[in-house]
Amino acid sequence: MEHELPELLGKLGLASRSLLCALICAFQAALFLQSGLDKLTDYRANLSWLKDHFARSPLAGTVGLLLPVITITETAAGLFSAFGAVQLLTVKGTAWAYYGLLLAAISLLMLFLGQRLAKDYAGAASLVPYFLLVAFGLFLLG
């Protein structure tokens, strides 16, 4: 039972692994580009919502500083993942995909920590599948 995943991946072959990684990158690109661009295009509304969401958390006084950080990280994760999907499908390189998924993992960890500190446990739990998908993508690239 414990050897099924490596055997399955071995049977998939390099082309199928690249395709699967490209699909994971495309998913992350859609997720993080939409989220990052929404924060850029509607910055004030996002800032207002986040200040209210974190009002009774240890992050209450830092939302104004942290919003640009998560916005940049999410947008970079989306861009790198998009370039990574294209790179995997065309030149078979993995650098863009790797850094895109790594930035996605970092973004998700920041979001997860924020949700936990805000005691929004359901919000934090909803991030777990996204993180697992990113971790699986990084595993495939490794």
Side-chain angles (χ1 to χ4, degrees):
M1 187 100 180
E2 62 189 61
H3 299 293
E4 289 178 8
L5 183 60
E7 288 177 25
L8 175 63
L9 293 176
K11 290 177 184 175
L12 283 175
L14 184 59
S16 296
R17 282 178 77 168
S18 291
L19 178 60
L20 184 55
C21 286
L23 290 171
I24 292 170
C25 285
F27 182 90
Q28 298 307 317
L31 174 72
F32 285 109
L33 283 174
Q34 184 280 324
S35 184
L37 293 176
D38 178 63
K39 287 176 178 67
L40 287 171
T41 58
D42 200 5
Y43 192 83
R44 286 186 184 167
N46 277 283
L47 182 60
S48 176
W49 185 87
L50 289 167
K51 282 184 176 181
D52 184 54
H53 186 68
F54 291 106
R56 292 175 290 287
S57 81
L59 299 175
T62 63
V63 172
L65 295 171
L66 294 177
L67 181 55
V69 172
I70 193 65
T71 302
I72 291 167
T73 308
E74 285 184 340
T75 306
L79 288 170
F80 276 64
S81 293
F83 291 138
V86 172
Q87 184 184 34
L88 283 162
L89 294 173
T90 57
V91 297
K92 306 298 183 227
T94 61
W96 286 101
Y98 176 80
Y99 290 115
L101 293 180
L102 187 60
L103 284 167
I106 292 167
S107 296
L108 289 164
L109 287 170
M110 288 190 290
L111 293 167
F112 182 81
L113 177 62
Q115 296 293 64
R116 296 289 300 184
L117 290 173
K119 297 186 179 184
D120 180 0
Y121 301 118
S126 71
L127 297 172
V128 172
Y130 296 108
F131 185 80
L132 291 174
L133 181 62
V134 169
F136 183 62
L138 287 168
F139 171 78
L140 289 176
L141 289 171

